[in-house]
Amino acid sequence: MRLKDKVILVTASTRGIGLAIVKKCAEEGARVYMAARDPERAREIANTLTGVTCVYNDATKPETFTSMVEDVVEDAGRIDVLVNNFGTSNPGRDLDFAKTDPQVFLDTVTLNLRSVFMASQAAVKHMAKQGGSIINISSVGSLVPDITQVAYGTSKAAINYLTKL
């Protein structure tokens, strides 16, 4: 059990990649915190897993990136790993460079970057004391541009930059 007793926080964790990460980390013996905007759904999932707890995070509410980290530290005493899994896109309105509405572009980039930046900044303050790791989930679209979803690809490319810091 490589992750035994590690304290891991995973954002956007009630489905898809986030849920798979939660399940694998719990299986490996970690104490996992599911950050989700739907606490009821997260609790239903957590109740089926060992060592999994829920904390509130809504990517549209910037203050919750700090509060979710503080909730984990208050409950567990530390945070060892932060997995920034949240990412959103608007494929119906994030079209190509010429047709994407500027507000859609700015909203998508802001939401995706803010989620990684603010959560990481909050976690680093605690990790500086004992160490830790931050894992940012990106996309192949950040490396190989798609002619659609220009905002999504741009935001994920910027997340790659933040990951290298």
Side-chain angles (χ1 to χ4, degrees):
M1 295 190 133
R2 298 180 323 218
L3 300 177
K4 183 152 179 57
D5 299 324
K6 294 290 184 187
V7 176
I8 301 174
L9 171 60
V10 184
T11 65
S13 56
T14 59
R15 60 189 172 113
I17 294 169
L19 181 55
I21 292 168
V22 167
K23 288 178 176 179
K24 188 62 177 175
C25 290
E27 183 181 298
E28 290 288 329
R31 187 170 178 184
V32 184
Y33 289 81
M34 296 177 70
R37 68 177 173 205
D38 184 347
E40 190 173 306
R41 180 182 166 131
R43 273 192 292 279
E44 286 176 15
I45 295 167
N47 288 338
T48 68
L49 303 168
T50 302
V52 178
T53 306
C54 306
V55 292
Y56 179 68
N57 173 244
D58 181 339
T60 65
K61 298 177 180 170
E63 66 278 4
T64 67
F65 288 105
T66 302
S67 65
M68 73 175 177
V69 171
E70 295 304 323
D71 290 347
V72 169
V73 172
E74 184 177 317
D75 187 59
R78 67 183 199 281
I79 181 170
D80 298 310
V81 179
L82 167 63
V83 180
N84 285 311
N85 178 58
F86 174 81
T88 190
S89 66
N90 189 340
R93 296 186 65 210
D94 183 10
L95 305 167
D96 62 30
F97 188 78
K99 296 176 190 155
T100 296
D101 180 278
Q103 195 58 55
V104 169
F105 178 85
L106 293 171
D107 290 347
T108 301
V109 170
T110 297
L111 199 54
N112 288 343
L113 281 177
R114 180 175 58 204
S115 71
V116 170
F117 180 79
M118 291 185 73
S120 297
Q121 193 174 55
V124 161
K125 292 175 184 173
H126 296 283
M127 290 176 175
K129 299 171 190 169
Q130 86 279 331
S133 297
I134 297 174
I135 300 166
N136 296 323
I137 305 300
S138 184
S139 168
V140 70
S142 69
L143 302 172
V144 181
D146 186 343
I147 61 168
T148 64
Q149 296 197 52
V150 66
Y152 180 77
T154 299
S155 69
K156 291 299 185 170
I159 287 167
N160 293 345
Y161 178 87
L162 288 176
T163 302
K164 293 176 184 180
L165 293 177

